[in-house]
Every structure is written in structure tokens, then in C-alpha cells.
Amino acid sequence: MSLYNYHTHTSRCRHAVGTDEDYVIAAIESGFKVLGFSDHSPMIFDDGHESGFRMLLKDTDDYVKSIRHLQEKYKDKIDIKLGFELEYLPKLFDRIIDYLNQFDYDYLILGQHFTDNEYEASAHYCGSATIQKKHLDKYIAQALDGLKTGKFAYIAHPDLIKYKGPDSIYKDRMTYFCREIKKLGYPIEFNKYGYTDRRNYPDRRFWEIAAEVGNDVIIGFDAHYPDSLRELDVYNEMKQYLNSLGIHPFESIEI
């Protein structure tokens, strides 16, 4: 079995632990062929707003240098990729892409945690429970707009939105979401962090829809601690869960 993971965080996001090298060592010991680092990208906010769960602008250079150093140090043992998990925040997207381009990253993954532009009064954190259809619709529309930029390799935890309204509305809107993602040609991620942490995602309702639509699926470890990459029993359990729904996830994607 060849193992791949493109969703790995570092302590710079301030909610993950361990050194960058700890993750690499854990991946090598577990037999990974590819390890992609995709820590939460900084954002360049208006009015001095600062997010509490992503790296700071001042840490980006250190992040890039560290991952590039590890790429060279372990090049004979594992293929290490440099990436970022990035939100699509409409007013801020072009400026952050211009900033990140200077670092010659390997890939981006879309991780939509907020609607609107995070710092605005209208913004909704998608991990907070809501019964409002407008939040579900905004999440779907904004994530699709992000994918339409063509900047991303895939969408992480597409079922993060914690909608507690009628199941009929959830099914209708998420069926549309899955179909549009498929039309755009993107894989969707079954998220290990949410699975092991027993969060509201992975949401079985969503994955039954994805199975029916026939979306391409990749498993993302969303590693926030090095031992996450050693938990291969959980990885195999997730594969069995997906297989039970008729989903056979990719082992890798082209980066």
C-alpha cells in the first residue's frame, strides 16, 4: 500500500503541535510515499484584523524555508510537497495569491471555514451550528467560486458546514454542491481529523450524496500532531467506511 497525504499542519497555525521534522519522520516510519504540508495560509486582512487559527504573515518565510530544507534532507526517503490550506475570501483573495506567489508553492487546497470575508459582521463560521439556509447557500456558493478560480488541487472537508435545518434542504443543496464540484473536476476530501475528533464532519448525509453523485474522493489526514500519520488503523477504518458506501478513494492525485 502506497500512502499519500497532502493535508498536514504545523505549529505555526497555533493549534497544531510538533516540529515539521516530527511529521516527516512519522510519515517515513508509516511508509508514506508523499507528504504534503498545507498549513493554514496567512491572510492580509483589512483594518488590522488577525485570525487566531492560521499562520501569521511573519511566519510564512520560515515555513517555506523549513519545508524546502526537509524536502532536500529527506529526498531519498519521501516526496515532500509545499502547500497551503487557503480560504476563498472574495475581497482578499487576489492580494493573498499575489503574496503567496513569491514562495513558489507546489499546491493549494481549499478549506472554507468562513462565509463572506471573516472579519465582517455578516460572516458565519461554518463549524458553528446553524438552521439558516442562507448560511448553507452562502457556503456552497463561496466554495464553488473558490474552485472556479482554478487555483486549488482539491477541496478539504467539504461537509464542514454544520447545518441543522431540515434534512430535505441539506440533501437538495448538497446534491447541487457535489454535482457542481464534479463538473469542475475536483476531488473532495474525507477528513481524518474530523473523523477521529468526532466532529460534525464527516457527515454521513453528505457522503451518501457524494456516493450517489459519483464524486472523486481523497482521504486527507489533516494532521495536527505527528502521531496522526501513524494511525493507519484509523486510515483503514475510514477506507472501509467509504467502501461500504460504494466509494473507493484515490490513493493520490497529481500535484
Side-chain angles (χ1 to χ4, degrees):
M1 176 176 63
S2 296
L3 287 167
Y4 299 74
N5 177 53
Y6 301 99
H7 197 167
T8 310
H9 292 279
T10 78
S11 60
R12 295 171 189 82
C13 70
R14 293 168 286 166
H15 62 279
V17 298
T19 69
D20 303 344
E21 193 163 18
D22 288 339
Y23 288 91
V24 174
I25 291 169
I28 292 170
E29 290 177 352
S30 294
F32 280 79
K33 183 175 181 180
V34 177
L35 180 67
F37 281 90
S38 53
D39 208 0
H40 291 282
S41 169
M43 295 298 295
I44 305 172
F45 289 103
D46 294 325
D47 302 324
H49 176 83
E50 183 178 295
S51 174
F53 74 96
R54 53 179 112 244
M55 77 172 74
L56 303 175
L57 284 166
K58 67 180 182 64
D59 294 329
T60 315
D61 190 59
D62 177 69
Y63 170 66
V64 171
K65 287 179 178 178
S66 175
I67 304 311
R68 293 303 188 199
H69 167 73
L70 293 169
Q71 281 180 326
E72 181 63 25
K73 181 175 181 179
Y74 291 98
K75 64 183 180 182
D76 295 330
K77 296 183 178 180
I78 191 169
D79 183 9
I80 297 173
K81 304 288 189 184
L82 171 68
F84 294 90
E85 180 180 359
L86 181 62
E87 309 250 352
Y88 180 70
L89 304 182
K91 291 181 181 177
L92 311 177
F93 190 71
D94 288 344
R95 74 176 73 160
I96 193 59
I97 289 294
D98 287 344
Y99 171 77
L100 292 177
N101 280 342
Q102 68 181 296
F103 297 107
D104 194 27
Y105 58 82
D106 297 315
Y107 68 101
L108 301 174
I109 58 177
L110 175 63
Q112 198 69 40
H113 299 84
F114 284 88
T115 64
D116 296 311
N117 293 286
E118 184 176 331
Y119 60 91
E120 297 171 331
S122 60
H124 173 71
Y125 173 61
C126 299
S128 295
T130 181
I131 61 171
Q132 296 191 51
K133 181 176 177 289
K134 69 177 183 180
H135 290 149
L136 181 61
D137 285 339
K138 173 66 79 168
Y139 168 77
I140 291 170
Q142 198 159 325
L144 289 175
D145 283 346
L147 293 176
K148 289 173 184 176
T149 66
K151 297 294 186 181
F152 296 97
Y154 69 86
I155 178 170
H157 41 62
D159 49 340
L160 183 144
I161 182 75
K162 196 173 183 179
Y163 181 69
K164 295 293 186 180
D167 282 346
S168 59
I169 291 177
Y170 184 90
K171 183 174 182 179
D172 175 72
R173 301 310 298 143
M174 284 306 206
T175 298
Y176 166 77
F177 190 33
C178 286
R179 286 174 176 165
E180 291 301 306
I181 294 172
K182 184 177 181 180
K183 287 179 187 176
L184 292 168
Y186 288 99
I188 57 177
E189 178 200 74
F190 191 84
N191 187 274
K192 178 181 176 292
Y193 188 48
Y195 185 87
T196 55
D197 205 39
R198 299 185 182 279
R199 297 187 171 202
N200 63 289
Y201 61 94
D203 188 318
R204 186 177 181 88
R205 298 175 300 172
F206 178 89
W207 292 99
E208 288 174 348
I209 293 166
E212 183 177 332
V213 170
N215 290 95
D216 293 331
V217 175
I218 186 168
I219 291 176
F221 277 64
D222 198 358
H224 284 73
Y225 51 92
D227 278 347
S228 173
L229 299 171
R230 295 187 173 96
E231 295 168 348
L232 300 187
D233 56 336
V234 179
Y235 172 77
N236 289 325
E237 183 180 308
M238 292 191 301
K239 286 184 71 175
Q240 291 173 6
Y241 177 92
L242 290 169
N243 289 343
S244 74
L245 296 174
I247 296 171
H248 303 286
F250 292 161
E251 285 194 346
S252 68
I253 57 174
E254 290 296 322
I255 294 292

